[in-house]
Amino acid sequence: MENVYKILNSDNVFLPKEICYLNFKHFFMEYHQHSEGSIELNYIVDGDCMYDIDGKIFNLTKRSLILVNGNVPHRVLISTGCILMSINCTQESMHPCFGTIKDLLSAYPELSDIFEHLTSGIHLNNAKLLYPLLQCICNVYDNPKESNPMLRSGLSFVESNDADYKRDFPYLNLLVNKALIDISKLYTNAEPSVVSLYVEKIKHFISYHFFEITSIDQIAEHIALNKIYMQKIFKQETGMTLWSYLTKFRMQKAIHYLSFTNIPIGDIDEMLGINSRQNFYLLFKKEYGMSPSEYRKSHYSAENK
Protein backbone atom coordinates (compact mmCIF):
# COMPACT_ATOMS: atom_id res chain seq x y z
CA MET A 1 0.00 0.00 0.00
CA GLU A 2 1.35 3.43 -0.92
CA ASN A 3 2.16 5.97 1.77
CA VAL A 4 -0.47 8.61 1.13
CA TYR A 5 0.41 12.10 2.32
CA LYS A 6 -2.31 13.54 4.57
CA ILE A 7 -3.50 17.08 5.15
CA LEU A 8 -4.55 16.81 8.81
CA ASN A 9 -6.46 20.08 8.97
CA SER A 10 -6.63 22.54 6.10
CA ASP A 11 -6.91 25.41 8.60
CA ASN A 12 -3.42 24.58 9.86
CA VAL A 13 -0.18 26.09 8.54
CA PHE A 14 3.23 24.66 7.65
CA LEU A 15 5.90 25.65 10.20
CA PRO A 16 9.57 24.63 10.53
CA LYS A 17 9.95 22.21 13.43
CA GLU A 18 13.57 21.21 13.12
CA ILE A 19 16.58 22.32 11.09
CA CYS A 20 19.51 20.02 10.46
CA TYR A 21 22.86 20.67 8.80
CA LEU A 22 24.99 17.70 7.72
CA ASN A 23 28.59 17.99 6.62
CA PHE A 24 29.94 14.45 6.62
CA LYS A 25 31.79 11.69 4.89
CA HIS A 26 30.81 8.08 5.54
CA PHE A 27 27.57 8.87 7.37
CA PHE A 28 24.81 6.24 7.34
CA MET A 29 21.63 7.30 9.08
CA GLU A 30 19.22 4.76 10.50
CA TYR A 31 15.65 4.70 9.21
CA HIS A 32 13.50 7.26 11.01
CA GLN A 33 10.19 9.02 10.47
CA HIS A 34 8.45 12.13 11.69
CA SER A 35 4.88 12.89 12.68
CA GLU A 36 1.98 12.42 10.28
CA GLY A 37 1.57 15.33 7.91
CA SER A 38 5.19 16.45 8.17
CA ILE A 39 7.38 17.26 5.17
CA GLU A 40 11.14 17.55 4.77
CA LEU A 41 12.86 19.95 2.38
CA ASN A 42 16.38 18.64 1.76
CA TYR A 43 18.82 20.62 -0.38
CA ILE A 44 22.29 19.42 -1.41
CA VAL A 45 24.65 22.36 -0.92
CA ASP A 46 27.69 20.39 -2.12
CA GLY A 47 28.74 16.81 -2.81
CA ASP A 48 26.32 13.95 -3.28
CA CYS A 49 24.34 11.41 -1.28
CA MET A 50 21.57 8.86 -1.51
CA TYR A 51 18.14 9.18 0.04
CA ASP A 52 16.47 5.88 0.88
CA ILE A 53 12.73 6.44 1.38
CA ASP A 54 11.09 3.17 2.42
CA GLY A 55 13.36 1.27 0.02
CA LYS A 56 13.09 3.71 -2.90
CA ILE A 57 16.51 5.16 -3.73
CA PHE A 58 17.08 8.74 -4.88
CA ASN A 59 20.56 9.81 -6.00
CA LEU A 60 21.12 13.45 -5.12
CA THR A 61 23.89 15.72 -6.38
CA LYS A 62 24.90 19.33 -5.81
CA ARG A 63 22.01 21.84 -6.13
CA SER A 64 19.33 19.15 -6.17
CA LEU A 65 16.40 19.06 -3.75
CA ILE A 66 14.10 16.35 -2.49
CA LEU A 67 10.74 16.98 -0.84
CA VAL A 68 10.05 14.05 1.50
CA ASN A 69 6.87 12.72 3.09
CA GLY A 70 8.24 12.87 6.64
CA ASN A 71 5.93 10.17 7.97
CA VAL A 72 7.48 7.55 5.68
CA PRO A 73 10.62 5.75 7.00
CA HIS A 74 13.64 7.36 5.39
CA ARG A 75 17.39 7.81 5.81
CA VAL A 76 20.31 9.55 4.17
CA LEU A 77 23.46 7.68 3.12
CA ILE A 78 26.65 9.67 2.56
CA SER A 79 29.78 7.95 1.29
CA THR A 80 32.12 10.40 -0.46
CA GLY A 81 31.03 13.60 1.27
CA CYS A 82 28.00 15.86 1.30
CA ILE A 83 26.81 19.16 2.75
CA LEU A 84 23.07 18.91 3.26
CA MET A 85 20.49 21.41 4.50
CA SER A 86 17.33 19.80 5.88
CA ILE A 87 14.16 21.58 7.03
CA ASN A 88 11.48 19.48 8.72
CA CYS A 89 8.05 21.15 8.71
CA THR A 90 4.87 20.10 10.50
CA GLN A 91 1.24 21.09 10.20
CA GLU A 92 0.40 23.35 13.15
CA SER A 93 -2.41 25.64 14.26
CA MET A 94 -1.49 29.31 14.54
CA HIS A 95 -3.48 32.40 15.43
CA PRO A 96 -3.56 34.80 13.82
CA CYS A 97 -2.49 33.21 10.53
CA PHE A 98 -2.42 34.45 6.95
CA GLY A 99 -1.27 31.40 5.01
CA THR A 100 -3.38 28.37 5.90
CA ILE A 101 -3.03 25.18 3.89
CA LYS A 102 -6.56 25.78 2.60
CA ASP A 103 -5.57 29.23 1.30
CA LEU A 104 -2.36 27.88 -0.18
CA LEU A 105 -4.08 25.09 -2.13
CA SER A 106 -6.85 27.44 -3.25
CA ALA A 107 -4.40 29.98 -4.67
CA TYR A 108 -2.03 27.35 -6.12
CA PRO A 109 -4.02 24.24 -7.14
CA GLU A 110 -0.88 22.62 -8.60
CA LEU A 111 0.29 22.06 -5.00
CA SER A 112 -2.56 19.57 -4.58
CA ASP A 113 -0.88 17.47 -7.26
CA ILE A 114 2.43 17.71 -5.40
CA PHE A 115 0.92 16.42 -2.16
CA GLU A 116 -1.08 13.75 -4.01
CA HIS A 117 2.16 12.34 -5.45
CA LEU A 118 4.13 12.69 -2.20
CA THR A 119 4.04 8.98 -1.39
CA SER A 120 7.82 8.97 -0.85
CA GLY A 121 9.78 11.90 -2.27
CA ILE A 122 9.74 14.41 -5.12
CA HIS A 123 13.18 15.04 -6.60
CA LEU A 124 14.27 18.19 -8.43
CA ASN A 125 17.62 17.88 -10.20
CA ASN A 126 18.34 21.61 -10.24
CA ALA A 127 16.83 23.71 -7.45
CA LYS A 128 19.61 26.28 -7.11
CA LEU A 129 17.09 29.15 -7.36
CA LEU A 130 15.55 27.91 -4.10
CA TYR A 131 18.80 28.00 -2.15
CA PRO A 132 18.62 31.68 -0.99
CA LEU A 133 15.05 31.16 0.23
CA LEU A 134 15.96 27.99 2.12
CA GLN A 135 18.93 29.81 3.66
CA CYS A 136 16.57 32.56 4.78
CA ILE A 137 14.23 30.04 6.44
CA CYS A 138 17.13 28.46 8.31
CA ASN A 139 18.57 31.79 9.36
CA VAL A 140 15.29 33.26 10.61
CA TYR A 141 14.47 30.07 12.50
CA ASP A 142 17.95 29.71 13.97
CA ASN A 143 18.47 33.33 14.94
CA PRO A 144 16.21 36.04 13.55
CA LYS A 145 18.69 38.74 14.59
CA GLU A 146 21.41 37.41 12.31
CA SER A 147 21.05 38.01 8.59
CA ASN A 148 24.08 35.96 7.51
CA PRO A 149 23.57 32.20 7.75
CA MET A 150 26.62 30.21 8.78
CA LEU A 151 26.90 26.63 7.66
CA ARG A 152 28.09 24.53 10.55
CA SER A 153 30.14 21.40 10.15
CA GLY A 154 28.98 18.19 11.73
CA LEU A 155 25.43 17.53 12.87
CA SER A 156 23.46 20.16 14.72
CA PHE A 157 19.81 20.58 15.53
CA VAL A 158 17.89 23.76 16.22
CA GLU A 159 14.64 23.34 18.11
CA SER A 160 13.18 25.94 20.44
CA ASN A 161 10.00 27.00 22.20
CA ASP A 162 11.47 30.35 23.12
CA ALA A 163 8.99 33.25 22.81
CA ASP A 164 11.46 35.19 20.63
CA TYR A 165 11.17 32.46 18.02
CA LYS A 166 7.38 32.37 18.21
CA ARG A 167 7.24 36.02 17.18
CA ASP A 168 8.65 35.02 13.80
CA PHE A 169 6.37 32.05 13.09
CA PRO A 170 3.97 33.99 10.82
CA TYR A 171 6.96 35.09 8.73
CA LEU A 172 8.40 31.57 8.74
CA ASN A 173 5.05 30.22 7.54
CA LEU A 174 5.07 32.65 4.63
CA LEU A 175 8.65 31.65 3.74
CA VAL A 176 7.80 27.94 3.80
CA ASN A 177 4.70 28.57 1.67
CA LYS A 178 6.85 30.47 -0.84
CA ALA A 179 9.28 27.52 -0.96
CA LEU A 180 6.44 25.07 -1.63
CA ILE A 181 5.03 27.32 -4.37
CA ASP A 182 8.46 27.53 -6.04
CA ILE A 183 8.91 23.75 -5.76
CA SER A 184 5.55 23.16 -7.43
CA LYS A 185 6.46 25.53 -10.27
CA LEU A 186 9.80 23.82 -10.85
CA TYR A 187 8.14 20.42 -10.69
CA THR A 188 5.27 21.17 -13.06
CA ASN A 189 7.49 23.05 -15.55
CA ALA A 190 10.19 20.39 -15.62
CA GLU A 191 9.55 18.87 -19.03
CA PRO A 192 11.85 15.84 -19.40
CA SER A 193 14.33 16.17 -22.25
CA VAL A 194 15.23 13.33 -24.57
CA VAL A 195 18.57 13.04 -22.76
CA SER A 196 16.82 12.84 -19.38
CA LEU A 197 14.55 10.09 -20.65
CA TYR A 198 17.56 8.09 -21.85
CA VAL A 199 19.26 8.51 -18.47
CA GLU A 200 16.10 7.31 -16.70
CA LYS A 201 16.04 4.27 -18.98
CA ILE A 202 19.65 3.53 -18.06
CA LYS A 203 18.87 3.80 -14.33
CA HIS A 204 15.80 1.61 -14.75
CA PHE A 205 17.84 -1.06 -16.56
CA ILE A 206 20.50 -0.99 -13.84
CA SER A 207 17.93 -1.29 -11.05
CA TYR A 208 16.59 -4.54 -12.53
CA HIS A 209 19.75 -6.04 -14.02
CA PHE A 210 22.60 -4.84 -11.75
CA PHE A 211 23.45 -8.44 -10.81
CA GLU A 212 24.12 -9.51 -14.41
CA ILE A 213 25.74 -6.45 -15.97
CA THR A 214 29.32 -7.19 -16.99
CA SER A 215 30.12 -4.29 -19.32
CA ILE A 216 29.06 -0.84 -20.53
CA ASP A 217 28.41 -2.41 -23.95
CA GLN A 218 25.66 -4.52 -22.41
CA ILE A 219 23.82 -1.41 -21.21
CA ALA A 220 24.36 0.45 -24.50
CA GLU A 221 22.95 -2.47 -26.47
CA HIS A 222 19.80 -2.54 -24.35
CA ILE A 223 19.27 1.24 -24.53
CA ALA A 224 20.19 1.27 -28.24
CA LEU A 225 22.72 4.10 -27.91
CA ASN A 226 26.31 4.58 -28.94
CA LYS A 227 28.44 3.60 -25.95
CA ILE A 228 30.56 6.77 -25.91
CA TYR A 229 27.53 9.06 -26.32
CA MET A 230 25.63 7.17 -23.63
CA GLN A 231 28.47 7.62 -21.11
CA LYS A 232 28.76 11.30 -22.00
CA ILE A 233 25.08 12.17 -21.44
CA PHE A 234 24.94 10.10 -18.25
CA LYS A 235 27.89 12.03 -16.80
CA GLN A 236 26.33 15.36 -17.86
CA GLU A 237 22.97 14.55 -16.24
CA THR A 238 24.13 12.86 -13.03
CA GLY A 239 27.62 14.23 -12.39
CA MET A 240 29.05 10.72 -12.14
CA THR A 241 30.26 8.07 -14.57
CA LEU A 242 27.91 5.27 -15.50
CA TRP A 243 30.13 2.62 -13.94
CA SER A 244 30.43 4.64 -10.73
CA TYR A 245 26.63 4.81 -10.57
CA LEU A 246 26.38 1.04 -11.09
CA THR A 247 28.95 0.46 -8.34
CA LYS A 248 27.11 2.81 -5.95
CA PHE A 249 23.85 1.02 -6.70
CA ARG A 250 25.46 -2.36 -6.00
CA MET A 251 26.95 -1.11 -2.75
CA GLN A 252 23.53 0.20 -1.72
CA LYS A 253 22.08 -3.25 -2.36
CA ALA A 254 24.94 -4.70 -0.31
CA ILE A 255 23.93 -2.48 2.62
CA HIS A 256 20.40 -3.86 2.38
CA TYR A 257 21.62 -7.47 2.36
CA LEU A 258 24.00 -6.85 5.27
CA SER A 259 21.44 -4.96 7.37
CA PHE A 260 18.22 -6.85 6.74
CA THR A 261 19.13 -10.43 5.78
CA ASN A 262 21.37 -13.18 7.15
CA ILE A 263 22.80 -14.02 3.72
CA PRO A 264 26.46 -15.07 4.19
CA ILE A 265 28.84 -12.26 3.26
CA GLY A 266 30.70 -14.71 1.01
CA ASP A 267 27.59 -15.03 -1.18
CA ILE A 268 26.73 -11.35 -1.49
CA ASP A 269 29.35 -10.53 -4.13
CA GLU A 270 27.72 -12.96 -6.58
CA MET A 271 24.26 -11.57 -5.83
CA LEU A 272 25.57 -8.11 -6.73
CA GLY A 273 27.16 -9.24 -9.98
CA ILE A 274 30.71 -8.52 -8.78
CA ASN A 275 31.70 -12.21 -8.61
CA SER A 276 34.85 -11.58 -6.61
CA ARG A 277 34.97 -11.51 -2.82
CA GLN A 278 38.17 -9.50 -2.87
CA ASN A 279 36.78 -6.86 -5.24
CA PHE A 280 33.58 -6.67 -3.20
CA TYR A 281 35.59 -6.12 -0.02
CA LEU A 282 37.73 -3.40 -1.65
CA LEU A 283 34.77 -1.59 -3.23
CA PHE A 284 32.74 -1.68 0.00
CA LYS A 285 35.70 -0.51 2.09
CA LYS A 286 36.35 2.36 -0.33
CA GLU A 287 32.69 3.43 -0.37
CA TYR A 288 31.84 3.17 3.32
CA GLY A 289 35.15 3.21 5.18
CA MET A 290 34.61 -0.20 6.77
CA SER A 291 34.54 -3.85 5.75
CA PRO A 292 31.26 -5.69 5.01
CA SER A 293 31.64 -7.72 8.20
CA GLU A 294 32.22 -4.59 10.29
CA TYR A 295 29.14 -2.98 8.78
CA ARG A 296 26.99 -6.04 9.52
CA LYS A 297 28.17 -6.19 13.11
CA SER A 298 27.14 -2.60 13.73
CA HIS A 299 23.88 -2.54 11.73
CA TYR A 300 22.40 -6.03 11.57
CA SER A 301 19.51 -7.04 13.81
CA ALA A 302 18.10 -10.58 14.07
CA GLU A 303 14.64 -9.00 13.98
CA ASN A 304 15.32 -7.99 10.36
CA LYS A 305 15.64 -11.54 9.09
Side-chain angles (χ1 to χ4, degrees):
M1 181 179 178
E2 287 191 327
N3 303 295
V4 179
Y5 180 78
K6 294 182 180 179
I7 301 295
L8 306 179
N9 185 335
S10 62
D11 289 323
N12 284 346
V13 299
F14 287 112
L15 290 176
K17 175 67 175 178
E18 187 176 69
I19 291 175
C20 170
Y21 297 93
L22 291 176
N23 185 357
F24 278 128
K25 291 183 179 179
H26 308 305
F27 177 73
F28 314 109
M29 185 181 288
E30 298 295 330
Y31 275 117
H32 65 288
Q33 60 192 113
H34 306 293
S35 60
E36 191 174 39
S38 63
I39 54 174
E40 267 189 16
L41 292 81
N42 301 294
Y43 181 86
I44 309 304
V45 180
D46 201 6
D48 60 81
C49 67
M50 287 186 175
Y51 248 85
D52 177 351
I53 307 177
D54 201 24
K56 186 174 182 179
I57 304 299
F58 295 86
N59 294 284
L60 307 180
T61 55
K62 184 176 180 179
R63 300 189 186 94
S64 63
L65 177 142
I66 186 165
L67 178 67
V68 178
N69 181 340
N71 193 229
V72 179
H74 58 281
R75 59 179 178 168
V76 62
L77 305 165
I78 300 173
S79 56
T80 56
C82 180
I83 301 177
L84 167 68
M85 175 193 299
S86 180
I87 303 171
N88 176 37
C89 299
T90 55
Q91 299 178 32
E92 304 286 349
S93 61
M94 184 177 69
H95 302 285
C97 62
F98 310 100
T100 66
I101 297 173
K102 181 195 301 180
D103 294 335
L104 186 63
L105 298 181
S106 175
Y108 298 91
E110 59 270 25
L111 272 170
S112 296
D113 186 57
I114 292 285
F115 293 132
E116 188 175 320
H117 289 86
L118 196 57
T119 54
S120 56
I122 289 177
H123 178 205
L124 297 174
N125 278 319
N126 189 350
K128 65 179 181 180
L129 295 178
L130 277 167
Y131 182 45
L133 177 58
L134 298 176
Q135 278 186 311
C136 184
I137 294 172
C138 293
N139 192 39
V140 172
Y141 183 87
D142 193 350
N143 189 344
K145 296 179 182 179
E146 290 185 9
S147 59
N148 295 320
M150 181 172 63
L151 197 62
R152 291 158 291 183
S153 61
L155 179 64
S156 61
F157 292 93
V158 181
E159 197 168 6
S160 175
N161 292 317
D162 189 277
D164 287 340
Y165 285 81
K166 290 184 177 179
R167 287 204 308 264
D168 292 283
F169 280 171
Y171 181 44
L172 285 165
N173 168 232
L174 294 177
L175 291 175
V176 171
N177 284 355
K178 177 67 165 62
L180 291 172
I181 292 166
D182 289 349
I183 288 171
S184 71
K185 289 180 178 179
L186 287 173
Y187 180 71
T188 54
N189 293 333
E191 291 291 337
S193 65
V194 173
V195 168
S196 297
L197 291 174
Y198 273 126
V199 170
E200 287 306 312
K201 285 184 179 180
I202 295 168
K203 290 181 178 180
H204 185 267
F205 180 73
I206 288 174
S207 67
Y208 285 97
H209 299 274
F210 66 92
F211 54 89
E212 60 182 358
I213 295 173
T214 58
S215 69
I216 297 292
D217 297 88
Q218 189 177 348
I219 303 173
E221 182 178 351
H222 176 81
I223 305 299
L225 278 179
N226 174 275
K227 178 176 73 172
I228 296 175
Y229 176 71
M230 180 183 70
Q231 294 180 89
K232 179 182 177 180
I233 64 172
F234 193 89
K235 179 70 180 293
Q236 286 176 343
E237 286 289 300
T238 66
M240 59 196 310
T241 67
L242 203 162
W243 201 258
S244 294
Y245 177 86
L246 173 61
T247 300
K248 273 184 173 288
F249 190 92
R250 284 170 165 167
M251 293 303 100
Q252 186 60 41
K253 286 292 182 181
I255 280 185
H256 174 79
Y257 296 145
L258 292 168
S259 301
F260 300 106
T261 77
N262 60 355
I263 298 170
I265 292 176
D267 294 339
I268 292 178
D269 64 291
E270 292 187 9
M271 296 179 66
L272 298 174
I274 296 175
N275 300 317
S276 167
R277 294 182 186 179
Q278 182 180 8
N279 283 347
F280 171 50
Y281 174 90
L282 292 173
L283 288 169
F284 195 93
K285 181 84 172 180
K286 180 181 179 181
E287 187 76 8
Y288 300 117
M290 65 181 78
S291 69
S293 59
E294 289 171 335
Y295 186 91
R296 171 165 276 176
K297 284 178 182 178
S298 60
H299 292 80
Y300 176 75
S301 169
E303 296 176 358
N304 294 325
K305 290 197 299 181

